[in-house]
Amino acid sequence: MTLSEKDVRDIATYTRIGLTDEEVVTMTRDLNDIIANLEPITQYDLEGVEPTFHPIAGLVNVMREDVPQPGFTQEEALANSESTEDGAFRIPTILGGGDN
Amino acid sequence: MVNEFVAMSVAQITSGIKSKDFSAREVVESSMRAIEALDDSIHAFLQTTPEMAFEAADRIDEKVARGEELPLLAGVPAAFKDNMNQLGTRTTCGSKMLANYESAFTATCVSKMVDAGVLPLGKLNMDEFAFGSSTETSYFGRTFNPWDLERVPGGSSGGSAAAIAAGLATLTLGSDTGGSIRQPASFCGVVGMKPTYGVVSRYGVVAFGSSLDQVGPFGKSVEDVAYALNALKGRDPLDCTSQHIETDFLANLGQGVEGMPIGVVPEFMEAEGLTDEVKSAMAKAVEALAEMGAEIIEVSLPNAHASLSAYYVIGPCEAFSNLSRFDSVRYGNRVPSTELGDQYEKSRADGFGSEAKRRIMLGSYLLSSGVYDKYYYPAQQIRTLITQDYRKAYEKVDAIILPSSPRTAFKFGEVSDPMSMYLSDIFTISLNIAGNGGLSQPIALGSETGLPIGAQIVGPQFKDENTLRVAAALERYFGVSTLAPIVQGKSKEVRA
């Protein structure tokens, strides 16, 4: 399976990473090189082998008691954002139009 | 200026403070002087936190003055990898993406160390988002191996290993997703341990591969590392994968290996790229174990050779998912735009380095429809096979000894293509896949390169005390790791 430059552009769009034309060329080469090295995985007879998605068997989800606990203040939650307004994260337009 | 506490162990520092031979404040002063003198050459630290260290020291010194009981690590100078949140510090992950990120809370591993009385000196350099084996990908510049400033310290926890080797801290923390504690420990000639997945809480450590990541300590000796593990271990309500651990990791360090079955893996010694000097040092370590009465037994890990490819499926897939949170809105690098989608693309393109972009895009591709069935699902099935291999081996042995890395530290730029870099983790990765614990300790200086060689001791899940016991025996045989020559002012040259 070989990735084309178009495939790489599609992945870049999906992962929201803008790539220059030169970066698309090197990324295509690097990804194909890495994927070629993943081939051993496709050559195993894995019939009937259960997958392991997590290294510790038998984990169960843990719920805490449903009692209020202190959390971030609004100020703390916004502190690392470069653009806030009226206690909210400020983002540019999503649907197009508008002046910001 | 040499840190006068640099040669001391954790136990010597805590007892010296208790008996008023010196104060915690003096330890901070000395550590800060050492960092000032040496870290221009090493660049282990991304930031230092003298105010926090002095505050912690004053708390300890007041306790001493009042005759109160001291916590386990009272007055031990320590530092943390910069993917660990700590209130009052930036947590950059070595990335432009988080260059200005102020920690919004403190990671459990950091607060446990601070609660145990360490003096927090600062935050340590790393490969960007822990993607790498050389610390060359940090946005803030590379870290230099204290043994040879032309060489890498290993990675991704390169700053954590280099700080110990250069005597800048007594304990440091790193994180290990595929070898990121053990490989730099090996390159820098110090002890570094990745405990079993679940021994240490991951809360507050910026996630890379959530089913693989584990926090662990670096130190000069096995005992120092065991001290740190005693402080770090245990259940944290904020990480549902952390486990109740009752083990005292210091308890059986002195027991020796008499009669203990220890495994060697013959097929690993035929691995591609394994150098002669590492091979012969490993043979000597195995002989030493036999001489001390261990029963050396050959075991086989027939599927381990697939662990590298399985890792380069599972790791990037989890990283892709974890790094989607960096959207430039709530935190992280922002390149303003008039349209949100465009802002995402520009901010992420500008904020992530090339290795981060490669792994995110690879993960996205591998999880896409159709490709998932070809690589991702089989990789998780191979994970089962590798885990079963280890389980079978541990029916016969209590621990296994293998190399930490196929070679000693390489020069900057020497390993440049991504696949060759990935190969430097060939002996460490299968542990993250199976969730076992392991430790790298220095056993020799290479006969060819003169650089530290690490042996890796690995044990069954949640039997990390076995690993420490074997390592302590080997350390008694070969001696505690020596600090890098630069500490004595014997460095070949200072970086330009």
Side-chain angles (χ1 to χ4, degrees), chain B residues 66-342:
Chain B
R66 287 197 298 263
E68 288 173 22
E69 198 172 321
L70 296 178
L72 183 67
L73 303 176
V76 175
F80 311 112
K81 187 175 181 177
D82 207 23
N83 60 352
M84 297 168 181
N85 280 276
Q86 182 187 16
L87 272 173
T89 71
R90 283 184 305 281
T91 297
T92 70
C93 285
S95 179
K96 185 179 185 186
M97 180 58 81
L98 291 174
N100 300 311
Y101 181 78
E102 297 289 338
S103 309
F105 50 86
T106 297
T108 300
C109 58
V110 172
S111 61
K112 283 200 171 199
M113 292 290 277
V114 172
D115 290 348
V118 304
L119 312 171
L121 302 178
K123 306 287 285 294
L124 298 161
N125 202 12
M126 56 184 283
D127 276 300
E128 184 182 13
F129 285 105
F131 301 147
S133 309
S134 67
T135 317
E136 288 172 291
T137 68
S138 170
Y139 174 68
F140 304 99
R142 54 206 191 174
T143 293
F144 296 77
N145 190 318
W147 285 83
D148 180 347
L149 299 176
E150 289 177 359
R151 292 177 188 270
V152 306
S156 67
S157 310
S160 309
I164 298 290
L168 305 179
T170 303
L171 290 173
T172 59
L173 295 187
S175 61
D176 188 315
T177 306
S180 281
I181 289 175
R182 293 159 286 153
Q183 184 258 21
S186 172
F187 278 17
C188 290
V190 301
V191 182
M193 180 160 194
K194 178 200 98 75
T196 300
Y197 183 96
V199 170
V200 184
S201 165
R202 293 174 294 111
Y203 175 74
V205 181
V206 179
F208 159 7
S210 301
S211 79
L212 307 163
D213 296 343
Q214 182 62 198
V215 171
F218 288 86
K220 287 190 295 290
S221 69
V222 175
E223 184 188 73
D224 283 3
V225 162
Y227 264 101
L229 208 52
N230 268 355
L232 288 165
K233 72 184 178 190
R235 176 88 189 146
D236 173 13
L238 299 170
D239 172 5
C240 69
T241 63
S242 63
Q243 304 291 304
H244 289 284
I245 308 285
E246 302 295 337
T247 314
D248 174 3
F249 293 106
L250 287 161
N252 58 6
L253 296 184
Q255 275 181 8
V257 291
E258 177 84 50
M260 190 178 189
I262 297 176
V264 290
V265 191
E267 66 253 31
F268 274 23
M269 301 316 283
E270 308 304 321
E272 189 193 332
L274 182 65
T275 58
D276 289 342
E277 60 175 6
V278 173
K279 233 185 225 182
S280 84
M282 287 305 300
K284 281 184 192 141
V286 173
E287 273 169 36
L289 290 171
E291 201 181 300
M292 289 185 284
E295 190 190 346
I296 304 298
I297 296 173
E298 288 192 356
V299 294
S300 179
L301 300 170
N303 298 294
H305 65 91
S307 58
L308 196 66
S309 358
Y311 176 82
Y312 277 97
V313 174
I314 299 165
C317 288
E318 295 188 2
F320 155 67
S321 168
N322 276 322
L323 270 65
S324 62
R325 72 191 56 172
F326 299 107
D327 61 2
S328 75
V329 172
R330 294 159 300 155
Y331 42 77
N333 185 54
R334 174 190 296 227
V335 178
S337 169
T338 53
E339 197 268 320
L340 184 60
D342 188 53

Side-chain angles (χ1 to χ4, degrees), chain A residues 1-3 8-9 11-19 23 27 30-31 33-35 37-42 44-57 59-62 72 76-83 89-94 96-97 99-100, chain B residues 100-102 104-105 197-198 211 235 240-241 243 303 305-306 309-310 312-313 320 329-332 334 337-341 343-345 348-349 357-358 360-362 364-366 371-372 374-385 417 419 422 434-435 461-462:
Chain A
M1 200 178 295
T2 307
L3 288 175
V8 170
R9 281 181 206 280
I11 298 169
T13 304
Y14 180 65
T15 54
R16 299 289 195 180
I17 295 174
L19 292 184
E23 284 174 323
M27 187 63 81
D30 288 348
L31 289 181
D33 187 25
I34 296 167
I35 292 162
N37 277 282
L38 301 178
E39 278 312 300
I41 283 183
T42 64
Y44 266 78
D45 177 12
L46 295 166
E47 189 66 37
V49 178
E50 287 295 314
T52 299
F53 288 101
H54 200 276
I56 307 181
L59 277 183
V60 285
N61 210 359
V62 184
F72 276 177
E76 284 166 339
L78 293 170
N80 272 298
S81 177
E82 287 187 28
S83 179
F89 297 109
R90 184 184 165 87
I91 57 169
T93 173
I94 297 171
D99 58 359
N100 208 337
Chain B
N100 300 311
Y101 181 78
E102 297 289 338
F105 50 86
Y197 183 96
S211 79
R235 176 88 189 146
C240 69
T241 63
Q243 304 291 304
N303 298 294
H305 65 91
S309 358
Y312 277 97
V313 174
F320 155 67
V329 172
R330 294 159 300 155
Y331 42 77
R334 174 190 296 227
S337 169
T338 53
E339 197 268 320
L340 184 60
Q343 179 178 303
Y344 288 152
E345 290 191 7
R348 285 164 66 85
K357 288 174 188 168
R358 255 194 303 273
I360 291 168
M361 292 184 63
L362 179 62
S364 164
Y365 168 70
L366 293 171
V371 186
Y372 177 98
K374 186 174 178 196
Y375 296 105
Y376 185 74
Y377 195 82
Q380 305 285 22
Q381 290 173 297
I382 287 170
R383 196 171 193 177
T384 304
L385 298 180
D417 76 287
M419 258 340 281
Y422 298 172
Q461 277 196 358
F462 300 108

Side-chain angles (χ1 to χ4, degrees), chain B residues 8-21:
Chain B
M8 291 189 186
S9 66
V10 166
Q12 285 168 330
I13 291 177
T14 52
S15 86
I17 283 175
K18 195 176 176 184
S19 56
K20 301 186 188 172
D21 294 342

